[in-house]
C-alpha cells in the first residue's frame, strides 16, 4: 500500500495543502506557472507552505510580503477558554467595516471560529459572485481545514457541544457542495500587525 503524501500548492488556483494527488492536480493542471511539491508528512508540508510564500509576480491579488490587499475580507475569532465561549467576525480589510458577526457559541476554539469565519466569508462572496476578493485569516490551521473541507477538531460530539457541531457540519457541507474560488491568504501578523478583524482582547 502506497504511503500517504501531502501536496503543497504554492502557486495554483487555490494555494494550500492537499491530501491527495487528484485534489492537487485540480489546482495546478493547466495553470500557468504552477508550483507544487509532495511531502511525506503533514508537518513538513505545513512548514514548507508557511516558509515559502507565493512571490508577488506569481499571485494576481498579492502584493509584497510587507503589504496586504486592501480590497479583501479579514476574519478573526475570539474564545474565552479553550474550549469556551467562541465568536467570530469578518470585516473589509481596507476600511475595517464589519460584514458579519456570529456568537458567542459554547465549546468553541479559536481555530474552529477562524474556520467558520472563512467559510462564512466564502459563502457570502459566493452569493455576490465576488470570486476575486481574497480572504485573510491568521490561522494556518483553519486555512488548512478549509482547503481539506474538514474541521479536524478534537471537540467531541455531545449534547453540550451540539450547537458548535451544528455550525461545523453546516460549514463542511457547504465546502463539499461548492468550489472554493477566492484566494485564501495568511494574515502576516509580524509584518502587518493584528488582523483588521481582531477582537482586541489579547
Amino acid at each position: 500500500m502506497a504511503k500517504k503524501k501531502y501536496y503543497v500548492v504554492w502557486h495554483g488556483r487555490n494555494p494550500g495543502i492537499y491530501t491527495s494527488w487528484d485534489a492537487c492536480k485540480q489546482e495546478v493542471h493547466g495553470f500557468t506557472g504552477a508550483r507544487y511539491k509532495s511531502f511525506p508528512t503533514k508537518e513538513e508540508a505545513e512548514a514548507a507552505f508557511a516558509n515559502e510564500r507565493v512571490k508577488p509576480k506569481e499571485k494576481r491579488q498579492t502584493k509584497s510580503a510587507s503589504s496586504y490587499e486592501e480590497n479583501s475580507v479579514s476574519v478573526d475569532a475570539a474564545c474565552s477558554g479553550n474550549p469556551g465561549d467562541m465568536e467570530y467576525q469578518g470585516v473589509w480589510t481596507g476600511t475595517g467595516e464589519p460584514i458579519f458577526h456570529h456568537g458567542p457559541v459554547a465549546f468553541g476554539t479559536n481555530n474552529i471560529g477562524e474556520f467558520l469565519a472563512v467559510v462564512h466569508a466564502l459563502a457570502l462572496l459566493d452569493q455576490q459572485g465576488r470570486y476575486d476578493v481574497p480572504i485573510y485569516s491568521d490561522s494556518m490551521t483553519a486555512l488548512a481545514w478549509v482547503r481539506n473541507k474538514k474541521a479536524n477538531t478534537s471537540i467531541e460530539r455531545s449534547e453540550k457541544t451540539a450547537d458548535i457541531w451544528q455550525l461545523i457540519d453546516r460549514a463542511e457541507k457547504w465546502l463539499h457542495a461548492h468550489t472554493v474560488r477566492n484566494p485564501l491568504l495568511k494574515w502576516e501578523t509580524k509584518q502587518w500587525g493584528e488582523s483588521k478583524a481582531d477582537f482586541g482582547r489579547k
Side-chain angles (χ1 to χ4, degrees):
M1 183 176 178
K3 289 185 178 180
K4 184 177 182 63
K5 290 184 179 181
Y6 296 84
Y7 300 86
V8 174
V9 176
W10 289 287
H11 189 215
R13 293 179 179 85
N14 290 289
I17 300 171
Y18 297 86
T19 56
S20 72
W21 166 242
D22 286 342
C24 175
K25 186 178 179 181
Q26 289 181 15
E27 305 302 324
V28 301
H29 185 67
F31 191 94
T32 303
R35 291 177 58 240
Y36 57 96
K37 183 179 179 181
S38 66
F39 292 87
T41 68
K42 181 180 179 181
E43 291 74 18
E44 289 179 83
E46 289 179 341
F49 181 67
N51 291 335
E52 188 173 345
R53 301 301 298 156
V54 178
K55 297 177 183 179
K57 66 180 181 180
E58 297 173 332
K59 186 69 181 177
R60 55 191 170 89
Q61 278 102 6
T62 306
K63 297 181 181 179
S64 68
S66 61
S67 185
Y68 53 84
E69 177 59 61
E70 292 194 353
N71 183 29
S72 61
V73 174
S74 291
V75 303
D76 193 33
C79 193
S80 301
N82 190 36
D85 289 342
M86 179 276 299
E87 58 188 312
Y88 67 80
Q89 65 183 358
V91 305
W92 289 112
T93 305
T95 63
E97 178 186 356
I99 305 172
F100 58 81
H101 175 273
H102 189 86
V105 183
F107 297 101
T109 66
N110 274 320
N111 283 329
I112 290 174
E114 295 265 358
F115 168 76
L116 294 173
V118 173
V119 178
H120 193 137
L122 283 168
L124 185 65
L125 293 170
D126 180 72
Q127 290 174 358
Q128 299 172 355
R130 303 185 67 179
Y131 303 116
D132 61 327
V133 177
I135 300 171
Y136 284 103
S137 169
D138 61 11
S139 171
M140 285 292 293
T141 298
L143 292 174
W145 288 358
V146 171
R147 293 186 179 102
N148 292 328
K149 303 180 186 290
K150 181 174 178 58
N152 191 23
T153 176
S154 60
I155 299 293
E156 295 183 358
R157 290 180 183 267
S158 69
E159 186 177 340
K160 288 197 242 183
T161 62
D163 289 343
I164 194 68
W165 270 107
Q166 183 179 20
L167 294 174
I168 294 171
D169 289 341
R170 186 172 67 182
E172 290 181 348
K173 183 178 180 181
W174 189 93
L175 288 171
H176 283 285
H178 296 79
T179 299
V180 174
R181 303 185 192 181
N182 298 79
L184 303 179
L185 306 176
K186 172 70 165 61
W187 181 266
E188 303 294 349
T189 306
K190 289 183 179 180
Q191 286 97 336
W192 308 331
E194 294 296 341
S195 165
K196 301 302 181 180
D198 183 63
F199 282 87
R201 298 176 188 170
K202 295 181 178 64

